[in-house]
Amino acid sequence: MKRKLLSLLVMMAAAQVATAGVTDKMLADDATTPGDVLTWGLGTQGQRYSPLTDINEKDINRLTPVWAMSFGGEKQRGQESQPLVYNGKMFVTASYSRIFAVDAKTGKKLWKYEHRLPEGIMPCCDVVNRGAALYDNLVIFGTLDAQIIALDQDTGKIVWKDKIADYQAGYSYTAAPLVVDGLVITGNSGGEFGVVGEVQARDAKTGKMVWTRPTVEGHMGYLNGKENGISGTLNATWPGETWKTGGGSTWMGGSYDATTGLAYFGTSNPGPWNSHVRQGDNLFTSSTVAINVKTGKIAWHYQGTPNDGWDFDGVNEFITFDMDGKRMGAKADRNGFFYVIDAKTGKLQNAFPFVTKQTWATGVDLKTGRPNFVPENRPGDPTAPDADGKKGKAVFAAPGFLGGKNQMPMAYSPKTGLFYVPSNEWGMEIWNEPITYKKGAAFLGAGFTIKPLYDDYIGSLRAIDPKTGKIAWEIKNEAPLWGGVLVAGDLVFWGTPEGYLKAADAKTGKEVWKFQTGSGVVAPPITWTQDGEQYLSVVSGWGGAVPLWGGEVAKKVNFLEQGGTVWTFKLMK
């Protein structure tokens, strides 16, 4: 009897461990536990590095698809999602606010949740979703109508949901949430519609709001329902009431570093694009903002493009890493400069170009942290004496507003000390126009045409040394690069709009493998181990901002086909 009771207790304990779900410690250790992928970025720091080496240069010729799952239906468009893997299941989001649970070993679909989207949603840059978050027994993701939804991992049933913002005012949501210490932390999207950027933290198990922090100066933050101080100083960097429709959305989501206790969110362009109607630096737009996750207050900020007049944003990911005994953060900004910043203090350490041409600034002053503007390359004021009141002076600016790097996340290898940056070489003709705010309407005050800089390539995967700013190697691509990067051991993986998933030697840049997925890859790959074997997976499906906003570039790649498939590989025995 005692043996039976003891056996039963052991079985019950084992069952509890198996169903305990994803814990804070598991999320904190994600970068060093390759048996799963629990976070967007393969770790809260966002390095997108895996120590796995079973797939290497010697045997990669045996890397073979083991399953492919179609998202199905007529809802294709851009697929920018990074999958998550836990407890033998893959959780992957898709266009039009869908999420799937899949058997990670076989590709069998276990369940699907398809959010019912209302009429009138206003995503600026395709109906994309970049991924989900895991906590306890929940999988949590956001929707294009600016809601956040937590589903049961086993059944796909809704456990809780909440409203991030009002989609009818131009808000949307496309990023993967960030989970830190039991909080699910989200940004918002909609910088082209006169919204106000914000970071929100909720209890991950219940959805109850804990704190909010606006990323436009003058707006009030809240902690447990009580006022928690305004962001910045009212009217310090915004004239009149322009701060009320200031943009600064946090549409790429955030990263977190446990050694600093800070979450890092990039902020988008100020609204409107016409910079002449909002003289000043326009904090905290086009910046990196570091937020204390316990207090919901801004610890520091760094603004890459003060008084942004080119839609350069500053929303790109901030990846923390160790350099010379210090915790640093790196960011490849849309404005064409790569920044290395002290992750604890926000002090600029280094800044250098990572694309070949920047016409808006000659460089960055490392003492002040400010760009050295080229005043004549700012689009002209349509109300200036020499203008006609309808259109300001047009300029040719590089990079174009789609950026030296856009949503496609870069990766960092602690083995090589290099960042692997998917970059693009293009410029734009841009001019300003008069504009007034109308709720839910586009708030630009600018016109533009994107143009390639070179005939033979637009995209380039570049291996960059953060100490020196030197490019160790690059692999050029005819079409723009729009998918993220993974480093696994000594290999770098990335996708191209032409449909290839590729691999190269992380040290030399020698291309060693490629596979045609059938549609453009605009998503980041992942890798993990299961039953003693290393797997590699990526979502394929052409779309995103390029075919919608790309001007002459869009015409150049209009032959590319849409799709929606998860491809998964392992080594053939």
Side-chain angles (χ1 to χ4, degrees), residues 29 59 62 147 183 204 249 258 271 310 375 386 397 423 439 462 506 566:
D29 294 341
D59 61 19
R62 295 193 285 114
Q147 293 190 56
L183 297 176
S249 66
W310 303 267
D386 59 347
S423 62
K439 179 181 176 180
R462 291 178 170 142
V566 186

Side-chain angles (χ1 to χ4, degrees), residues 141-190:
F141 84 119
T143 65
L144 285 167
D145 59 343
Q147 293 190 56
I148 181 168
I149 300 174
L151 307 171
D152 184 284
Q153 291 178 10
D154 296 319
T155 66
K157 301 295 184 184
I158 295 176
V159 176
W160 62 259
K161 67 177 179 178
D162 198 15
K163 180 179 176 181
I164 294 173
D166 178 11
Y167 75 89
Q168 292 179 315
Y171 289 89
S172 55
Y173 187 77
T174 54
L178 171 71
V179 177
V180 177
D181 294 340
L183 297 176
V184 57
I185 307 174
T186 59
N188 60 15
S189 305

Side-chain angles (χ1 to χ4, degrees), residues 352-383:
F352 48 83
F354 68 95
V355 290
T356 62
K357 192 171 186 178
Q358 306 83 28
T359 62
W360 67 280
T362 58
V364 178
D365 188 319
L366 295 183
K367 291 183 178 179
T368 65
R370 296 181 68 85
N372 300 314
F373 284 108
V374 179
E376 59 271 24
N377 196 254
R378 182 178 292 271
D381 184 353
T383 65

Side-chain angles (χ1 to χ4, degrees), residues 283-331:
L283 290 175
F284 294 91
T285 65
S286 299
S287 300
T288 296
V289 177
I291 301 175
N292 186 304
V293 296
K294 293 182 178 179
T295 66
K297 290 197 171 186
I298 295 174
W300 59 258
H301 74 276
Y302 177 81
Q303 188 173 42
T305 317
N307 193 227
D308 184 356
W310 303 267
D311 185 40
F312 281 149
D313 281 31
V315 79
N316 288 356
E317 71 282 359
F318 186 82
I319 297 176
T320 55
F321 68 109
D322 292 319
M323 188 175 82
D324 297 333
K326 289 185 177 181
R327 183 69 99 193
M328 295 293 175
K331 178 179 184 176

Side-chain angles (χ1 to χ4, degrees), residues 484-525:
V485 183
L486 165 73
V487 185
D490 296 318
L491 295 177
V492 179
F493 293 89
W494 77 105
T496 74
E498 293 92 339
Y500 288 104
L501 177 63
K502 292 187 173 187
D505 184 293
K507 292 181 181 179
T508 66
K510 176 188 176 183
E511 193 173 313
V512 295
W513 179 85
K514 66 180 180 179
F515 176 84
Q516 176 57 250
T517 68
S519 183
V521 178
V522 293

Side-chain angles (χ1 to χ4, degrees), residues 57-348:
E57 188 171 344
K58 293 180 180 179
D59 61 19
I60 197 168
N61 62 317
R62 295 193 285 114
L63 191 60
T64 306
V66 289
W67 60 261
M69 188 207 76
S70 170
F71 293 139
E74 298 177 356
K75 295 181 177 180
Q76 302 293 326
R77 304 286 291 270
Q79 311 293 349
E80 295 181 356
S81 175
Q82 181 220 288
L84 302 174
V85 178
Y86 170 62
N87 200 24
K89 298 186 184 74
M90 177 183 286
F91 302 95
V92 57
T93 61
S95 56
Y96 292 96
S97 303
R98 295 172 290 166
I99 184 168
F100 297 76
V102 185
D103 185 306
K105 193 171 184 178
T106 67
K108 179 183 177 182
K109 185 166 68 177
L110 303 174
W111 55 257
K112 174 179 75 170
Y113 172 81
E114 187 167 0
H115 185 65
R116 181 173 293 179
L117 291 167
E119 296 290 331
I121 57 170
M122 289 172 279
C124 87
C125 306
D126 208 354
V127 289
V128 299
N129 190 287
R130 296 186 180 88
L134 299 176
Y135 193 70
D136 196 48
N137 67 328
L138 303 175
V139 54
I140 307 167
F141 84 119
T143 65
L144 285 167
D145 59 343
Q147 293 190 56
I148 181 168
I149 300 174
L151 307 171
D152 184 284
Q153 291 178 10
D154 296 319
T155 66
K157 301 295 184 184
I158 295 176
V159 176
W160 62 259
K161 67 177 179 178
D162 198 15
K163 180 179 176 181
I164 294 173
D166 178 11
Y167 75 89
Q168 292 179 315
Y171 289 89
S172 55
Y173 187 77
T174 54
L178 171 71
V179 177
V180 177
D181 294 340
L183 297 176
V184 57
I185 307 174
T186 59
N188 60 15
S189 305
E192 272 62 59
F193 295 91
V195 304
V196 174
E198 189 172 72
V199 179
Q200 301 175 349
R202 293 171 172 80
D203 184 298
K205 289 187 178 181
T206 66
K208 180 182 178 183
M209 189 77 78
V210 176
W211 55 257
T212 64
R213 176 49 52 195
T215 53
V216 174
E217 195 169 53
H219 294 268
M220 180 64 70
Y222 291 86
L223 175 64
N224 294 320
K226 297 180 180 179
E227 291 186 351
N228 193 30
I230 66 170
S231 299
T233 303
L234 180 63
N235 286 137
T237 63
W238 292 86
E241 295 191 340
T242 54
W243 58 279
K244 292 184 177 180
T245 52
S249 66
T250 45
W251 59 263
M252 268 288 287
S255 58
Y256 171 76
D257 193 299
T259 65
T260 65
L262 300 175
Y264 306 94
F265 278 76
T267 63
S268 81
N269 56 287
W273 288 17
N274 182 345
S275 63
H276 299 281
V277 302
R278 43 173 174 78
Q279 294 294 330
D281 282 357
N282 310 137
L283 290 175
F284 294 91
T285 65
S286 299
S287 300
T288 296
V289 177
I291 301 175
N292 186 304
V293 296
K294 293 182 178 179
T295 66
K297 290 197 171 186
I298 295 174
W300 59 258
H301 74 276
Y302 177 81
Q303 188 173 42
T305 317
N307 193 227
D308 184 356
W310 303 267
D311 185 40
F312 281 149
D313 281 31
V315 79
N316 288 356
E317 71 282 359
F318 186 82
I319 297 176
T320 55
F321 68 109
D322 292 319
M323 188 175 82
D324 297 333
K326 289 185 177 181
R327 183 69 99 193
M328 295 293 175
K331 178 179 184 176
D333 202 293
R334 270 170 58 174
N335 66 21
F337 288 97
F338 190 103
Y339 299 92
V340 181
I341 298 170
D342 189 301
K344 294 181 179 179
T345 67
K347 179 176 173 55
L348 181 66

